[in-house]
Amino acid sequence: MVLKIFFPQCCNMADSGLLVGRWIPGQDSAVVLAVIHYPFIPGQVKRYLSQLQSESQVELAVLGSWSMPKEGQEGMESFLRDLSTIFPRGRWLQLSREIGQRGFACQVVRAPPADGEGDGGDGDGNGGEGEVIFVHYEQRKVMLSQLHPPEGAGGGGGGGAELLQLRLVFRTVAQSQPLFFIDKYDDGPLKLTHWQSQGREASIIVELAKQASVPLCLLLTWLLSLWTWLCSIRLLNLSPVRFVSSKLSTCVQVSYRTEHLQTVSSPKKASEHKSFMRKANIFVSFLLDVALGLLLISWLYRENRIGRLADTLVPLADRVAKELQELLEWLMGAPAGLKMNRALDQVLGRFFLYHIHLWISYIHLMSPFIEGILWYVGLCACLGLTFALSVLSDIVALLTFHIYCFYVYGARLYCLKIYGLSSLWRLFRGKKWNVLRQRVDSCSYDLDQLFIGTLLFTILLFLLPTTALYYLVFTLLHLVVVVLQGLIHLSVDFINSFPLFAMALRLFQPYRLAEGVKFRVLSEEPGKPLHLMMEINPLRYSSVLQWYRTPTYSCYPKDSWAALCKKLFVGELLYPWRHKGTKID
């Protein structure tokens, strides 16, 4: 049987006293948390431990004694050994260290009999308990660390038992924080040695931030409740308003940030590690977003960049419209030497040219107001860079709305012909589509039906190349706009979901996010216990991103690439604003 004793490095040179810690339930191991120095009164120690158990919810107990030889304390070891009768446990650890030696000896003494005769030990170095292994650990790192299960870790076998033991050790140290509030310099009946023995860590800035966060959270909660009340007005909940707001990226980002601010300003304390990390990641992401937005504002409103941008926007829209007009005139001729249906080609070309004429007239009508609109729209960047990018996405969608209309017209016409040809092709094979059972069934047609079907099939087939060419051209233009909007949405999604706080912890304090531990041999001498050093393996950056990425809406297509190609082939519409989980009726 191997007895594991997890021993803190800060107690290696502690004065003689009692070992305070916990026996791991179901595991043949013990965790040492602190050393209570002599002199002490056993009754005070018991009252102190019972008080700590109610505060930390950890079953703390006296595990044994610790001896560090000093002048004038020659009989200290025998005195501490006799204390096993006052603090009865199943086993009593007697640890001693000699100055100048790296390791220290251990004797495990069984609890004395009821009549108090004998000490229960057999006098050997390990007290008849078998091999003893000391696992040294850095108490502060283990207390602040969060152990994550490694990838591919199974629940059974020896690996699962070792992982459970490590989790219990980490949890015991983390839940024993009230034990670390008293150090050996405090005026009190008990003097302890633990990781804060040289004085408790404190930060004036952190304490002031904690005090100031309470009124700020109350003010933010009141403002959010007022905003929620304004959004719940009946006029804003009408179907047309809700439909338009659900398609605008700015409105979606506002609702998303409102939900995040409600999470951050919630008075409920984040007791769990994951909820705390979520709040911290959202808060840091919001601060970074606002900082980038303020930098953008400082750049936009210097050297009259807003005016120059407005002067560039109208000629750019005219240039795009002119290029589209030239493209349509090219399609109305003989594009690439293809022989098109003249009548249909002229009808489609003139129809789209009329839309371009309307669009140019609209742009020139709005040109005197564009600079003022951009000036006020640029102020939204003070809410964050994501708001500015969302507004940019909506501006791109509005400026290219005529391209989207061309794509919808071409796709609907192409889809109608594709489905008409497929339905007529089933007619020639004596089949029909059963709408009720959603399958193809056999059917018999008379001569008139076959004649009409053949006539319609011939007409649709000869008109298909002209329609397909227009559909192909406008689909490619629409995909260019979708890719541009997709890049903007990806940038917004990256800022919203990137766990910046967790990544900073992984970079500057890698022990805070642990994936496991590794052991290094400190001392291995024959006849003496083995001493190991437990070091924390930090979580990989990819795992940090996977664990702490903030859930957010996504602009990625819901369908696979095969389904996307199928939609393009049959002419189904691609919605650039369609997010995961949304349904289009």
Side-chain angles (χ1 to χ4, degrees), residues 11 34 67 82 164 190 299 319 548 568:
C11 297
S67 299
D82 296 336
L164 176 61
L190 298 178
W299 180 83
R319 179 64 183 273
Y548 297 107
L568 290 175

Side-chain angles (χ1 to χ4, degrees), residues 1 15 28 64 69 77 85 93 106 115 144 184 220 225 310 312 424 438 442 491 505 510 515 525 556 558:
M1 183 181 296
D15 296 336
D28 200 25
E77 187 171 353
T85 58
L93 302 177
C106 173
D115 55 1
L144 298 178
K184 64 183 180 181
L220 185 60
S225 61
T312 307
L424 293 173
Q438 294 294 307
S442 299
S491 303
L505 277 184
E515 190 176 21
E525 301 178 8
Y556 311 133
K558 186 178 179 180

Side-chain angles (χ1 to χ4, degrees), residues 61-261:
V62 177
L63 303 180
S65 62
W66 165 258
S67 299
M68 174 66 74
K70 280 188 177 182
E71 295 182 2
Q73 296 183 356
E74 288 76 8
M76 181 62 65
E77 187 171 353
S78 60
F79 167 74
L80 294 174
R81 185 186 304 114
D82 296 336
L83 290 177
S84 61
T85 58
I86 302 178
F87 302 99
R89 298 292 298 175
R91 284 173 288 189
W92 181 265
L93 302 177
Q94 294 179 192
L95 308 184
S96 60
R97 178 171 185 176
E98 298 180 4
I99 298 178
Q101 293 186 0
R102 193 167 189 177
F104 40 85
C106 173
Q107 186 176 1
V108 183
V109 181
R110 285 290 181 180
D115 55 1
E117 297 179 0
D119 57 7
D122 54 4
D124 61 354
N126 294 337
E129 292 292 333
E131 185 180 0
V132 177
I133 298 179
F134 284 94
V135 181
H136 297 261
Y137 68 95
E138 297 185 37
Q139 203 169 54
R140 179 177 179 272
K141 290 185 177 181
V142 173
M143 184 189 68
L144 298 178
S145 179
Q146 176 68 25
L147 186 63
H148 298 75
E151 295 182 1
E162 293 292 334
L163 182 60
L164 176 61
Q165 185 184 59
L166 286 176
R167 283 188 175 279
L168 292 175
V169 170
F170 276 65
R171 188 180 305 169
T172 299
V173 179
Q175 293 178 349
S176 303
Q177 294 190 25
L179 178 65
F180 307 140
F181 290 161
I182 296 182
D183 58 53
K184 64 183 180 181
Y185 297 105
D186 287 340
D187 294 332
L190 298 178
K191 309 294 182 181
L192 282 79
T193 292
H194 43 71
W195 76 274
Q196 289 195 122
S197 295
Q198 303 303 321
R200 291 189 296 273
E201 290 187 346
S203 174
I204 298 178
I205 298 178
V206 173
E207 293 300 325
L208 291 177
K210 288 181 180 179
Q211 296 297 327
S213 63
V214 177
L216 287 178
C217 287
L218 293 177
L219 177 62
L220 185 60
T221 303
W222 181 79
L223 292 176
L224 289 175
S225 61
L226 180 62
W227 171 254
T228 305
W229 176 78
L230 291 176
C231 294
S232 61
I233 296 177
R234 187 174 181 180
L235 181 63
L236 299 178
N237 288 323
L238 297 177
S239 298
V241 178
R242 284 192 287 113
F243 176 80
V244 173
S245 62
S246 65
K247 307 311 176 189
L248 294 177
S249 300
T250 307
C251 296
V252 175
Q253 179 64 19
V254 167
S255 63
Y256 181 74
R257 277 304 185 194
T258 302
E259 179 184 353
H260 271 188
L261 290 177

Side-chain angles (χ1 to χ4, degrees), residues 35 47 60 109 113 142 229 326 334 358 400 408 410 474 495 529 574:
V35 176
R47 286 194 300 271
L60 299 177
V109 181
V142 173
W229 176 78
E326 292 178 358
L358 291 178
T400 59
V408 171
F474 291 124
I495 297 175
L574 301 177

Side-chain angles (χ1 to χ4, degrees), residues 19 48 87 172 178 280 285 327 350 406 449 454 458 476 479 584:
L19 298 173
Y48 177 65
F87 302 99
T172 299
S285 173
L327 177 63
R350 290 175 181 175
F406 295 164
Q449 291 174 330
T454 303
T458 304
L476 293 177
L479 288 179
I584 303 297

Side-chain angles (χ1 to χ4, degrees), residues 15 28 46 52 132-134 223 231 280 286 292 325 354 387 411 453 501 522 560 571 573:
D15 296 336
D28 200 25
K46 289 184 177 180
L52 286 177
V132 177
I133 298 179
F134 284 94
L223 292 176
C231 294
F286 178 74
L292 294 176
Q325 187 174 357
Y354 179 70
F387 286 92
F501 179 77
L522 288 179
S560 62
L573 293 181

Side-chain angles (χ1 to χ4, degrees), residues 213-469:
S213 63
V214 177
L216 287 178
C217 287
L218 293 177
L219 177 62
L220 185 60
T221 303
W222 181 79
L223 292 176
L224 289 175
S225 61
L226 180 62
W227 171 254
T228 305
W229 176 78
L230 291 176
C231 294
S232 61
I233 296 177
R234 187 174 181 180
L235 181 63
L236 299 178
N237 288 323
L238 297 177
S239 298
V241 178
R242 284 192 287 113
F243 176 80
V244 173
S245 62
S246 65
K247 307 311 176 189
L248 294 177
S249 300
T250 307
C251 296
V252 175
Q253 179 64 19
V254 167
S255 63
Y256 181 74
R257 277 304 185 194
T258 302
E259 179 184 353
H260 271 188
L261 290 177
Q262 288 175 347
T263 302
V264 173
S265 62
S266 173
K268 185 178 179 181
K269 186 178 179 181
S271 56
E272 297 183 358
H273 172 76
K274 199 164 186 179
S275 59
F276 167 76
M277 293 295 292
R278 173 178 167 80
K279 278 191 173 184
N281 286 323
I282 291 174
F283 181 71
V284 175
S285 173
F286 178 74
L287 290 182
L288 177 65
D289 189 17
V290 173
L292 294 176
L294 293 177
L295 288 177
L296 179 62
I297 287 180
S298 66
W299 180 83
L300 281 177
Y301 289 90
R302 284 186 301 181
E303 301 178 2
N304 195 26
R305 288 190 174 94
I306 292 287
R308 285 187 288 174
L309 182 62
D311 294 339
T312 307
L313 200 59
V314 176
L316 180 62
D318 287 339
R319 179 64 183 273
V320 172
K322 183 178 179 181
E323 294 291 339
L324 283 176
Q325 187 174 357
E326 292 178 358
L327 177 63
L328 286 173
E329 291 175 355
W330 177 72
L331 291 176
M332 292 172 66
L338 298 175
K339 185 174 178 60
M340 312 297 293
N341 186 280
R342 183 68 179 174
L344 181 61
D345 193 12
Q346 292 294 320
V347 169
L348 292 178
R350 290 175 181 175
F351 177 74
F352 292 137
L353 285 175
Y354 179 70
H355 277 72
I356 292 177
H357 173 70
L358 291 178
W359 182 253
I360 294 176
S361 302
Y362 170 73
I363 291 295
H364 284 278
L365 181 65
M366 293 294 297
S367 58
F369 311 101
I370 287 181
E371 183 176 356
I373 293 174
L374 290 179
W375 198 91
Y376 287 105
V377 165
L379 293 177
C380 73
C382 64
L383 300 176
L385 180 62
T386 54
F387 286 92
L389 292 176
S390 300
V391 171
L392 177 61
S393 176
D394 293 333
I395 291 176
V396 170
L398 292 176
L399 291 179
T400 59
F401 185 70
H402 54 307
I403 296 178
Y404 178 72
C405 291
F406 295 164
Y407 163 72
V408 171
Y409 298 151
R412 288 302 187 190
L413 188 59
Y414 175 78
C415 183
L416 177 64
K417 292 189 177 181
I418 289 294
Y419 278 101
L421 288 172
S422 61
S423 179
L424 293 173
W425 177 251
R426 286 194 294 268
L427 181 142
F428 295 149
R429 296 183 295 121
K431 305 287 185 180
K432 73 171 183 177
W433 175 253
N434 192 326
V435 181
L436 297 177
R437 298 190 178 184
Q438 294 294 307
R439 68 182 186 186
V440 177
D441 294 335
S442 299
C443 181
S444 59
Y445 299 96
D446 55 21
L447 188 60
D448 294 338
Q449 291 174 330
L450 290 175
F451 175 75
I452 298 296
T454 303
L455 183 62
L456 292 176
F457 183 84
T458 304
I459 295 174
L460 292 178
L461 183 62
F462 281 100
L463 294 179
L464 181 63
T466 304
T467 308
L469 182 61

